[in-house]
Amino acid sequence: QVKRELKNGWRRYRPSMTQEAQTRLLVTSGLRDALERSEFQLHYQPQIDLKSGEVMCLEALLRWFPEGGVPVPPDLFIPAAEASGLIIELGQWVLGAACAQLAAWHRSGFPRLRVAINVSPLQFARPDFAQSVERALEQAGLEASALELELTERGELSDLPAVLGQFRALQHMGVHLALDDFGAGESNLGRLLHLPFDVLKLDHHLIASLGTQPEAQMFLPALQTFASSLNLELVAEGIETEAQLEAVRALGCQRAQGYLLGRPAAVWPPEPAPR
Ligand code: C2E
Ligand code: MG
Ligand code: MG
Ligand code: MG
């Protein structure tokens, strides 16, 4: 009896928030301030067209530099931004900033460059998302086809019909839609079949297993056939070695991205090294 009461009491007085939730709350108020203080920056990582060898697209990757603190990687703060709803505002900022940067590149001698932006499923589920993309493009003076939006395969899609509606509107505008992190963990082929993607990004874990797992060697050519039958462009992520680059080229991937080809950086094209 006493034992049970103790147990219940402990339960009652136990902080209702887990450590993780408390951390998240702290991070969330930090994120809101950070947005007001302009502590976010976009870095850009090139994607190489494997036929021409040219940079055809740059992926915008969000960075948080808290004043006086150490930089926080997106994998740490994006989940908190999603949990708090701040991802909507933050995502709008990313969209505006990346479009402005792309327009500047177009004016400075790279008129055919594309920008790829990571978009949270929560943004895609908003009924006004496609419209806000259209406004951002208009404001920057960009064609819709200069923009690629990436949706990660990880995690749940809470409202597939809502996302599908926005996908159709975006596709109609001419925006490219990419499925990110394909082959990372539990794969959801349904997502690929139900949403009109035109780009498939192979996750870096899949690429890394190319040289080490015979299964990957057999699976990837089949995936290539599947992708081309769906008219999907294949992009290989996380290319770190020449051997991986050759392997994905042989596989028929159209684009490659990874440290071997260029690290994410604040400035593109890279500034020449000081002499
Ligand atoms: P992602 O979209 O799959 O982006 C690729 C990640 O792999 C980036 O990590 C990039 O720096 C890293 N990477 C690039 N090349 C290599 C390589 O050769 N090897 C390895 N091991 N890694 C490589 P990062 O910048 O830390 O971003 C992590 C994730 O955060 C992104 O994964 C994306 O899902 C998310 N994210 C980044 N920016 C945004 C954003 O603006 N909005 C949203 N919603 N998510 C974002
Ligand atoms: Mg991405
Ligand atoms: Mg990815
Ligand atoms: Mg990833």
Side-chain angles (χ1 to χ4, degrees):
Q1 177 70 30
V2 171
K3 223 176 177 178
R4 200 211 241 129
E5 242 157 49
L6 263 181
K7 207 173 162 193
N8 287 343
W10 180 79
R11 213 174 251 156
R12 201 164 330 129
Y13 291 110
R14 200 182 74 151
S16 59
M17 270 188 278
T18 60
Q19 189 81 42
E20 196 191 315
Q22 287 185 35
T23 308
R24 189 168 287 177
L25 193 69
L26 213 68
V27 171
T28 302
S29 64
L31 286 176
R32 198 173 295 279
D33 294 345
L35 198 56
E36 275 159 25
R37 290 198 215 112
S38 312
E39 291 177 351
F40 290 103
Q41 244 194 52
L42 290 177
H43 282 189
Y44 294 91
Q45 186 179 30
Q47 293 178 358
I48 312 297
D49 179 334
L50 286 176
K51 270 223 180 82
S52 69
E54 279 170 21
V55 173
M56 65 145 312
C57 181
L58 287 132
E59 179 176 4
L61 295 162
L62 190 56
R63 300 288 180 260
W64 178 17
F65 297 95
E67 206 195 306
V70 290
V72 187
D75 285 333
L76 288 185
F77 66 80
I78 296 285
E82 288 178 332
S84 66
L86 195 70
I87 190 69
I88 303 300
E89 252 174 276
L90 192 54
Q92 275 305 120
W93 179 82
V94 170
L95 191 61
C99 285
Q101 177 62 75
L102 183 64
W105 282 325
H106 281 189
R107 287 191 300 268
S108 67
F110 302 96
R112 285 148 45 88
L113 214 54
R114 236 188 239 188
V115 78
I117 300 177
N118 294 285
V119 178
S120 163
L122 295 175
Q123 293 174 269
F124 271 113
R126 303 261 298 190
D128 60 349
F129 179 64
Q131 229 168 38
S132 72
V133 170
E134 193 165 31
R135 267 200 307 273
L137 288 167
E138 242 169 51
Q139 216 156 48
L142 292 171
E143 304 272 321
S145 60
L147 182 64
E148 191 162 298
L149 300 179
E150 300 188 1
L151 174 67
T152 181
E153 201 202 19
R154 294 161 187 272
E156 294 282 300
L157 263 193
S158 54
D159 194 350
L160 185 65
V163 173
L164 181 58
Q166 296 307 302
F167 257 63
R168 291 221 170 100
L170 290 161
Q171 189 186 41
H172 184 74
M173 283 162 53
V175 172
H176 302 276
L177 296 158
L179 182 58
D180 203 354
D181 306 321
F182 186 77
E186 0 60 84
S187 273
N188 182 357
L189 270 180
R191 191 165 298 179
L192 197 54
L193 297 173
H194 288 121
L195 294 171
F197 289 102
D198 42 34
V199 179
L200 191 59
K201 293 190 78 179
L202 304 180
D203 188 71
H204 64 101
H205 292 100
L206 207 57
I207 301 303
S209 66
L210 256 178
T212 56
Q213 285 182 354
E215 296 85 355
Q217 240 101 341
M218 304 201 309
F219 171 67
L220 283 169
L223 183 63
Q224 204 283 326
T225 307
F226 170 74
S228 73
S229 73
L230 283 181
N231 253 330
L232 288 164
E233 200 183 336
L234 273 185
V235 182
E237 271 194 311
I239 299 294
E240 295 182 354
T241 67
E242 292 287 348
Q244 289 170 344
L245 184 61
E246 278 328 299
V248 300
R249 197 194 294 278
L251 255 176
C253 286
Q254 285 90 340
R255 274 188 250 170
Q257 174 181 2
Y259 294 159
L260 179 73
L261 304 162
R263 292 195 172 247
V267 179
W268 189 89
E271 287 170 309
R275 334 195 286 153

